[in-house]
């Protein structure tokens, strides 16, 4: 509902401006377009939009809306937007419906994302197995001392929000039909998950990995410096924010555990990962298609690489961190 109101207000305001000046011509690098994005990827898409608009010398204006995955899909199927970013591809039924409405559907995997588990630096736990994570979420494990000796007491699990794709991923991957425990809490945003973990030693935060990447500091650089840095060859991101602790995760059939570094996402050793898709029904030559081409192209993929997740089209260059 909020999305419908926001887009309706935007349309009305643009019509009002029409009597004063001509609307901007819509081309692949100019005009106005909307994108509806899973709110887990807000910080990534904000950077994409910022650099894209800068490269068009202010002629393009991309209006983002950050909502749940379901709201993204509904907005595309209801023709309220032409471009969405979500953590799955469209189903064959969804694609068939759009094609029946004479829409050309383009879908491209733009990244491989990881779900990170974060705790307060005062928490002594370093590793969780997939089985332990599932048992924490279902309530079979409720205290930190059931994992290893600890005085922290009950585990408080915090997600970004109840309808997020992160919640859906954990339910589908680790719950095996079980319900979430009463000790699992939904916040209002990824920032709040981060804040809860910083404040509570007993908290276990479940968050998309780009929110904890130390290399996100590049988003604060002036645009000119950021664009110049994107032209250089980059290594994988090798740091996380030091105000929280990132746990290692172990597959149940492995003795080794790994943190969600890009290299371990790339080779599959870090188990909690998923694909991110950009989907559009926009016409060739439109601004929506121009932005789609930018995100799936070299510079757009390098922006994703800087955020700590794995771009779909830029292979990471591994470095030895001895």
């Amino acid at each position: 509902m909020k999305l419908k109101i926001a887009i309706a207000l935007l349309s009305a305001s643009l019509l009002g401006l029409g009597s004063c000046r001509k609307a901007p011509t819509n081309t692949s690098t100019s005009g106005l377009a909307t994108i509806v994005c899973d709110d887990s990827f807000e910080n990534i898409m904000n950077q994409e939009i910022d650099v894209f608009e800068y490269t068009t010398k202010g002629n393009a204006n991309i209006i983002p809306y950050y909502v749940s995955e379901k709201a993204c899909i509904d907005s595309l199927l209801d023709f309220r937007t032409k471009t969405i970013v979500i953590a799955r591809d469209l189903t064959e039924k969804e694609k068939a419906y759009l094609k029946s409405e004479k829409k050309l559907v383009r879908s491209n995997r733009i990244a491989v994302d990881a779900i990170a588990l974060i705790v307060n630096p005062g928490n002594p736990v370093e590793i969780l197995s997939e089985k332990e994570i599932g048992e924490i979420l279902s309530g079979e494990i409720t205290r930190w001392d059931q994992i290893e000796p600890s005085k922290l007491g009950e585990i408080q699990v915090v997600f970004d929000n109840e309808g997020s794709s992160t919640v859906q991923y954990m339910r589908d991957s680790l719950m095996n039909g079980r319900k979430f425990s009463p000790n699992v809490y939904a916040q209002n945003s990824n920032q709040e998950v981060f804040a809860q973990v910083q404040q509570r030693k007993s908290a276990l935060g479940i968050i998309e990995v780009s929110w904890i990447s130390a290399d996100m500091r590049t988003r604060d650089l002036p645009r000119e410096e950021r664009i110049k840095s994107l032209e250089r060859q980059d290594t994988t991101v090798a740091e996380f924010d030091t105000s929280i602790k990132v746990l290692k995760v172990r597959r149940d059939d492995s003795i080794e555990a790994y943190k969600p570094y890009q290299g371990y996402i790339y080779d599959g050793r870090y188990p909690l990962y998923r694909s991110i898709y950009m989907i559009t029904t926009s016409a060739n030559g439109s601004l929506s298609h121009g932005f789609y081409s930018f995100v799936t192209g070299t510079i757009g993929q390098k922006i994703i690489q800087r955020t700590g997740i794995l771009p779909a089209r830029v292979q990471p260059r591994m470095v030895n961190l001895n």
Side-chain angles (χ1 to χ4, degrees), residues 191-206:
Q191 293 96 323
E192 289 189 29
V193 174
F194 200 91
Q196 287 293 315
V197 170
Q198 288 177 313
Q199 296 165 15
R200 298 175 182 270
K201 289 186 178 181
S202 60
L204 171 64
I206 301 179

Side-chain angles (χ1 to χ4, degrees), residues 201-272:
K201 289 186 178 181
S202 60
L204 171 64
I206 301 179
I207 194 168
E208 192 267 348
V209 75
S210 74
W211 291 94
I212 60 169
S213 169
D215 205 52
M216 285 297 287
R217 61 181 177 268
T218 59
R219 67 188 166 188
D220 299 322
L221 292 174
R223 285 172 171 173
E224 294 88 345
E225 291 183 32
R226 216 180 321 152
I227 291 170
K228 285 181 181 178
S229 71
L230 290 168
E231 295 171 354
R232 298 192 294 265
Q233 177 66 38
D234 291 311
T235 61
T236 55
V237 174
E239 297 178 75
F240 295 123
D241 192 302
T242 56
S243 65
I244 48 86
K245 181 197 289 187
V246 181
L247 296 184
K248 292 182 178 180
V249 177
R250 179 176 62 79
R251 292 185 183 277
D252 292 333
D253 59 357
S254 173
I255 61 173
E256 294 292 334
Y258 300 91
K259 290 187 179 183
Y261 292 122
Q262 286 166 315
Y264 298 144
I265 302 170
Y266 176 73
D267 64 16
R269 280 184 282 182
Y270 185 78
L272 305 180

